[in-house]
Amino acid sequence: MEDLQDILVRLKSTGIKNTKHRIRILEFLNQSHQPRSADEIYESLRQEDSSISLSTVYRAMDILVANELVNKVNFENGTKTSFEINRHIHHHFVVCLGCNKVFSIEGCPIHEYEHELEKKTGFKVVGHKLELYGYCKACQRQQKHKN
Amino acid sequence: MEDLQDILVRLKSTGIKNTKHRIRILEFLNQSHQPRSADEIYESLRQEDSSISLSTVYRAMDILVANELVNKVNFENGTKTSFEINRHIHHHFVVCLGCNKVFSIEGCPIHEYEHELEKKTGFKVVGHKLELYGYCKACQRQQKHKN
DNA sequence: CTAGGTGCAAATTCTTTGCAGAATA
DNA sequence: TATTCTGCAAAGAATTTGCACCTAG
């Protein structure tokens, strides 16, 4: 887990204002092992400060995403947008369709492919999104017990 | 473009009812070069039959997706769900961030990787989502002109 | 002090649902 | 005819916005 201090330094360097809500959002996401929805962030912050509003969370997410402190994630299953700390490490997600847990994997199998594609089609690739769906070990075990 | 007849045969074989709306939705998606939102489908059908309702479109999409005649697609940019004819050909999308056009590419660079991952982690992979984002030739040209 | 941030309530947008009537197999 | 589908209107969920007040720089 990246040190919160590093993230706060990055927050300062963006020039946007350094409010307690934003700090606590970054804190919460930094300690989360999963991407979190606006609602989850809201509920978490509300436990310490019941005056915060959900619209503040949405507005904070917008600006944190625009400043690359946070990434926006949309999974196939599940309707709402999630957010994760942007650690500037290229990675992808493995999503369990049994328990909806999200695992992060480093390394990327398609950088080479991007170059191939650019050469072949002339399309300029600036990014990509890859997610794998399936069943984690625990859910596979449960599945077997059911049969 | 797959023959509409083939698709209608598949529709029949599902056992779900063969209504004119469903046929026209499949027709529309079959001739589309891009995934379409429920709203786009609705607007298109409404030109010929103004009595159709948006909820019918949503309900039709549910059942067509469940019966594998249609795929559901969620892009990172853009908020609403889109739908495309399921041609049972494994493919991925290249999305232009300039004009929002969606190009389809056949072939998949990560099947091998899936196996590796399964061996390494024990996670059972049943599917994946891969999208590439960037700029198409036309938009790259425009970009240059602006500078 | 001033630009930018915030809470609240209301508005929007996308999607789902209940129900009574209509169409398909 | 029985089951499934449909239109309409209303409800719901997620997200955005207007406005008056507040706070960090």
Side-chain angles (χ1 to χ4, degrees), chain B residues 13-140:
Chain B
S13 76
T14 62
I16 65 174
K17 283 191 180 166
N18 221 311
T19 71
K20 73 173 186 302
H21 292 328
R22 288 171 185 179
I23 293 169
R24 295 192 40 237
I25 288 171
L26 292 171
E27 218 169 326
F28 174 64
L29 289 182
N30 187 49
Q31 66 172 54
S32 279
H33 296 264
Q34 314 247 342
R36 300 293 190 181
S37 66
D39 198 63
E40 288 172 325
I41 296 167
Y42 170 65
E43 286 303 334
S44 158
L45 296 222
R46 216 159 64 100
Q47 289 178 10
E48 286 172 44
D49 176 357
S50 64
S51 80
I52 189 178
S53 89
L54 184 55
S55 53
T56 298
V57 175
Y58 276 109
R59 283 190 273 225
M61 298 333 286
D62 271 357
I63 201 165
L64 292 175
V65 168
N67 283 277
E68 303 186 321
L69 287 154
V70 168
N71 294 325
K72 206 169 174 173
V73 189
N74 279 294
F75 293 112
E76 287 292 89
N77 58 334
T79 154
K80 33 191 168 177
T81 301
S82 294
F83 303 92
E84 57 156 3
I85 280 283
N86 181 355
R87 301 189 195 285
H88 295 283
I89 295 169
H90 185 78
H91 69 290
H92 293 291
F93 294 113
V94 180
V95 182
C96 178
L97 299 171
C99 60
N100 279 310
K101 271 202 195 112
V102 178
F103 304 88
S104 184
I105 45 174
E106 285 187 32
C108 175
I110 63 170
H111 277 133
E112 263 180 58
Y113 178 73
E114 286 189 356
H115 293 138
E116 275 175 48
L117 187 80
E118 288 189 339
K119 263 186 222 155
K120 209 161 58 183
T121 66
F123 194 94
K124 174 72 192 157
V125 178
V126 301
H128 62 257
K129 175 178 178 176
L130 169 63
E131 284 149 26
L132 299 158
Y133 294 88
Y135 295 91
C136 70
K137 276 187 180 169
C139 287
Q140 286 174 60

Side-chain angles (χ1 to χ4, degrees), chain A residues 70-82:
Chain A
V70 167
N71 294 324
K72 205 170 174 173
V73 190
N74 280 295
F75 294 112
E76 287 292 89
N77 58 334
T79 152
K80 33 190 168 177
T81 300
S82 294

Side-chain angles (χ1 to χ4, degrees), chain A residues 15-119:
Chain A
I16 65 173
K17 281 190 182 168
N18 220 311
T19 70
K20 73 172 186 302
H21 291 329
R22 289 173 184 177
I23 293 169
R24 295 191 41 238
I25 287 171
L26 292 170
E27 218 169 324
F28 174 63
L29 289 182
N30 187 49
Q31 66 172 54
S32 279
H33 296 264
Q34 314 247 342
R36 299 294 189 181
S37 67
D39 198 64
E40 288 171 326
I41 296 167
Y42 171 64
E43 287 304 333
S44 158
L45 296 221
R46 216 159 64 99
Q47 288 178 11
E48 287 172 42
D49 174 357
S50 64
S51 81
I52 189 177
S53 90
L54 185 54
S55 52
T56 297
V57 175
Y58 277 109
R59 282 190 273 226
M61 297 334 286
D62 270 358
I63 200 165
L64 293 175
V65 168
N67 284 277
E68 302 185 321
L69 287 153
V70 167
N71 294 324
K72 205 170 174 173
V73 190
N74 280 295
F75 294 112
E76 287 292 89
N77 58 334
T79 152
K80 33 190 168 177
T81 300
S82 294
F83 303 92
E84 57 156 3
I85 280 282
N86 181 357
R87 301 189 195 285
H88 295 283
I89 294 168
H90 185 77
H91 68 291
H92 293 291
F93 294 113
V94 180
V95 182
C96 179
L97 299 172
C99 59
N100 280 309
K101 271 204 195 110
V102 177
F103 305 88
S104 184
I105 46 175
E106 285 186 33
C108 175
I110 63 170
H111 277 134
E112 263 180 58
Y113 178 74
E114 286 188 358
H115 293 138
E116 275 175 47
L117 187 80
E118 287 189 341
K119 264 186 222 155

